[in-house]
Amino acid sequence: MYHSRITTASPLRRGNLLPVRALVSAWSLLMLIALLAWALTIGQARDMGIEPGTMGMGVPLFLLLWLAMMTAMMLPSVAPVAITWARAINRESTGVFRVVRMAGFTGGYLLVWTAFGLFAYAGLAATGHIVDDHADAGRWIGATAFLLAGLQQLGPLKNICLRHCRSPMGQLVRYSQFQRRARDLRVGAHHGLYCVGCCWGLMLVFIPLGVMNIPAMAGLAAVIFAEKLWRLGAAFSTAIGVVFLAFAVLAPFQDWLLPGLQNAGSSMGP
């Protein structure tokens, strides 16, 4: 019975290695950073609207906004692992060395998402050019994006990555065995890779929904949070996959599913 209670506890409870006061402070700081990232993203989105492709952004500006988006969307869901590892850093180091180690962990995580952002930029640029030349192609691009997202949600890689993200204590034990040289950078990058493996399908739906679509960002952020931290996250992930497959069937006939693949004032669907 005791073992059953341990295995069914939520990730939030399993990740609670800090005293209550310190845990509240850590969560408050992470939520403040996420809110600032949301404010920056929303402010920029108001000036840009929703259009196909990269909306004229060059790579540097896109990556800057991409990292702000990822901070806003991902930070709450990675909090258990981040706080757990920060606790380990606080026990082992002090002063400037502690700051350097935290910067290494954060930098490793963001480095992975920056690399993924380059792939996202290339994908958005390619689909934008295709839609500019062949407007009707957007329907099938959107359907393909939803199909791939749905298959990723239902595939085995999703469950493997979810198990990693939902077990902060298990990852602490594993990461403590890494060699000390650049360990925090490697830990951040390692966890970032699992997050990308868990969420790349969700990021893919930004192609049909629009990369600066704030309601879509908020909805996907809620999905990511529930998948990683909710007790029924695995079943919820499966349900989202089924919804995406349904969207893949509807996308060729429903323009409202494809705001990110329509030029201003145009309509693709019959």
Side-chain angles (χ1 to χ4, degrees), residues 148-232:
L148 292 176
L151 293 176
Q152 195 268 342
Q153 288 289 114
L154 300 175
L157 179 61
K158 179 76 175 189
N159 289 329
I160 293 172
C161 294
L162 269 182
R163 286 197 297 270
H164 171 97
C165 295
R166 289 169 60 84
S167 179
M169 287 185 65
Q171 299 319 310
L172 176 62
V173 174
R174 181 178 183 180
Y175 291 152
S176 64
Q177 299 173 358
F178 282 14
Q179 294 182 359
R180 286 188 173 275
R181 185 176 181 179
R183 180 170 63 180
D184 300 295
L185 180 68
R186 292 171 57 210
V187 168
H190 186 269
H191 187 59
L193 284 171
Y194 271 97
C195 282
V196 169
C198 186
C199 301
W200 69 264
L202 296 174
M203 299 299 108
L204 196 63
V205 302
F206 277 124
I207 292 176
L209 297 181
V211 70
M212 298 304 292
N213 187 331
I214 297 300
M217 288 184 208
L220 291 174
V223 169
I224 293 169
F225 187 86
E227 284 183 343
K228 292 186 177 182
L229 303 183
W230 187 23
R231 181 173 57 87
L232 301 177

Side-chain angles (χ1 to χ4, degrees), residues 28-43:
S28 298
L29 177 61
L30 291 176
M31 294 307 104
L32 176 60
I33 296 173
L35 286 174
L36 292 174
W38 273 111
L40 174 63
T41 304
I42 292 172

Side-chain angles (χ1 to χ4, degrees), residues 142-143 145-147 149-151 153-154 202 205 209 220 223 235-251 256-257:
F146 282 124
L147 175 62
L151 293 176
Q153 288 289 114
L154 300 175
L202 296 174
V205 302
L209 297 181
L220 291 174
V223 169
F236 179 71
S237 176
T238 300
I240 293 298
V242 174
V243 171
F244 283 161
L245 293 180
F247 284 175
V249 175
L250 294 173
W256 63 272
L257 286 172

Side-chain angles (χ1 to χ4, degrees), residues 69-91:
M69 288 170 54
M70 294 305 101
T71 300
M73 295 176 61
M74 303 296 297
L75 193 57
S77 64
V78 303
V81 173
I83 292 174
T84 300
W85 187 249
R87 174 61 172 169
I89 291 176
N90 289 336
R91 287 199 307 264

Side-chain angles (χ1 to χ4, degrees), residues 9-35:
S10 70
L12 290 171
R13 183 177 295 275
R14 291 199 300 268
N16 186 2
L17 300 181
L18 292 166
V20 174
R21 181 179 299 179
L23 185 66
V24 171
S25 298
W27 270 93
S28 298
L29 177 61
L30 291 176
M31 294 307 104
L32 176 60
I33 296 173
L35 286 174

